[in-house]
Amino acid sequence: MSPSPRDPARATGRRVTMRDVAHAAGVSQALVSIVFRGAPGAGEQTREHVLKVAAELGYRRDERARLLRQGASRLLGVAFEAGQPFHGELVDGLHVAARALGRDVVLAAVTAHRDEADAVEGLLRDRCEALILLGGALPEQRLDHIAQELPVVSVTRRLESPAVASVATDDHRGAVLAVEHLAGLGHRRIAYLEAGRAAGGDRRRAGWAEAVAAAGLGAEAVVEPADASEAGGAAALDRLLARDPAPTAVVAFNDRCAAGVVGQALATGLAVPRDLSVVGFDDSAQARLPYLDLTTLAQDPDLLARTAVELAVAPRDAAPAAHVELGTRLVVRGSTGPPRTQDPDRPDAR
């Protein structure tokens, strides 16, 4: 079907403009503007006619340009890691929370070939009103500098900056709950898989160390470098299994890392949890998959997202930025259980 003679934009493949709508409708561009602004000055019949012609032409009003002319984009820029399933849950929650407050979300993915700094610069070029950073590892000095221009909120990475707001789950307490659960099942050799500079990593490791010490298990505990991916968890488990004796339980940095541990355990002939208990962190959708059935520490992505948006749109004043810490809870599933055999020197050994 060929384009209508009154459809010059579609005939040339360019974007339909308000001028095209005015020409096709046989009215002035000013009248089209009145119709789309919902302002008085156009009769109901004329308004319906203009809207019908606009729909036929495929005209879409450029809301971003309009808002920028008014000095406000009403856009919240979000930098997230494309490979992290939990970040996907957070992004969904951010869209819902932003819409409820009359804002929209612009996404910038951090990938293997695009680092966080590039993603943030892209959001700044988009003239966002605030930045929301999921995880992330940009230096606080850089974040403080950006916060001089617009609000910055860090999500899942706890900060102490007076300029940059943050909301995070109590990572320290979560790790303590994981160790207490495993120790209560009878495990003595409990390893922790850390993820370097990942958000929350230092506090999770500190909580794990505090809990194993409190349980009198520090001499047999081990920290193994990994990362926040399935491959990192699998490789770390291979190194742990080379130890003598090997750990009987693993607390992984996050659910992805824990999934790699479970998969590698099964690949090497170990049964989970009979031969190895595994705990993750996040309670992501991945953890709830039947074949993983992962015991994990729950974070609330909707509450994290809603709090982040509220911090991002809060009026800026001279007060220090807010730092919110949310609670966590242990979700026990099928990846944890008592060790297969008790150590002979344990008082309760059978």
Side-chain angles (χ1 to χ4, degrees):
M1 182 178 177
S2 60
S4 165
R6 74 175 189 178
D7 191 354
R10 189 171 298 175
T12 60
R14 63 178 175 82
R15 181 174 180 171
V16 179
T17 67
M18 193 176 292
R19 179 178 297 177
D20 296 323
V21 175
H23 176 77
V27 299
S28 69
Q29 187 172 333
L31 185 58
V32 174
S33 177
I34 287 173
V35 170
F36 278 94
R37 286 187 288 112
E44 189 59 33
Q45 187 174 358
T46 300
R47 190 180 302 275
E48 291 179 1
H49 172 62
V50 169
L51 292 174
K52 180 182 179 182
V53 170
E56 291 174 351
L57 296 181
Y59 172 74
R60 290 181 177 84
R61 191 179 183 191
D62 191 340
E63 287 293 323
R64 184 178 299 188
R66 182 182 68 83
L67 290 169
L68 286 174
R69 286 194 296 271
Q70 295 176 355
S73 71
R74 303 188 74 77
L75 298 175
L76 304 180
V78 177
F80 70 103
E81 294 182 34
Q84 292 294 347
F86 187 67
H87 283 195
E89 296 182 43
L90 286 170
V91 166
D92 182 52
L94 288 169
H95 274 288
V96 173
R99 187 183 305 118
L101 294 178
R103 305 301 200 277
D104 203 354
V105 170
V106 177
L107 300 176
V110 178
T111 70
H113 298 97
R114 189 195 195 195
D115 64 19
E116 185 184 8
D118 284 343
V120 168
E121 285 302 316
L123 294 172
L124 293 175
R125 287 193 297 269
D126 280 338
R127 305 280 295 277
C128 296
E129 285 191 349
L131 294 184
I132 298 176
L133 310 179
L134 307 188
L138 284 180
E140 286 196 36
Q141 184 177 6
R142 172 60 178 149
L143 298 182
D144 289 345
H145 180 74
I146 297 173
Q148 295 176 13
E149 304 176 35
L150 73 171
V152 180
V153 181
S154 173
V155 183
T156 73
R157 177 188 177 190
R158 181 185 171 91
L159 299 176
E160 303 294 340
S161 167
V164 179
S166 66
V167 54
T169 301
D170 190 344
D171 296 296
H172 184 282
R173 177 60 180 162
V176 169
L177 290 174
V179 173
E180 289 178 345
H181 169 64
L182 293 168
L185 290 171
H187 292 277
R188 297 187 64 187
R189 299 189 298 276
I190 303 173
Y192 176 69
L193 303 189
E194 66 176 357
R197 298 173 59 199
D202 289 346
R203 292 178 61 77
R204 293 178 194 180
R205 175 175 174 170
W208 168 88
E210 178 182 296
V212 295
L217 307 178
E220 298 177 271
V222 59
V223 175
E224 186 66 32
D227 59 33
S229 71
E230 292 87 346
L237 179 63
D238 281 342
R239 295 191 296 271
L240 288 174
L241 294 179
R243 292 175 172 270
D244 187 18
T248 62
V250 170
V251 178
F253 168 76
N254 68 354
D255 290 345
R256 282 189 70 196
C257 184
V261 171
V262 172
Q264 189 65 10
L266 298 178
T268 56
L270 298 179
V272 176
R274 186 191 65 189
D275 300 312
L276 182 72
S277 285
V278 183
V279 180
F281 206 114
D282 287 342
D283 194 26
S284 62
Q286 184 179 28
R288 299 187 287 273
L289 293 171
Y291 68 87
L292 275 180
D293 199 27
L294 186 65
T295 295
T296 184
L297 281 306
Q299 301 196 77
D300 187 334
D302 292 335
L303 182 55
L304 282 165
R306 186 165 64 252
T307 304
V309 170
E310 290 171 353
L311 291 172
V313 303
R316 301 188 74 182
D317 52 34
H323 300 287
V324 180
E325 187 171 74
L326 305 177
T328 186
R329 60 186 176 85
L330 180 72
V331 180
V332 179
R333 296 195 179 96
S335 69
T336 54
R340 181 169 58 176
T341 58
Q342 299 284 2
D343 292 331
D345 59 342
R346 278 184 60 89
D348 57 350
R350 297 291 186 268

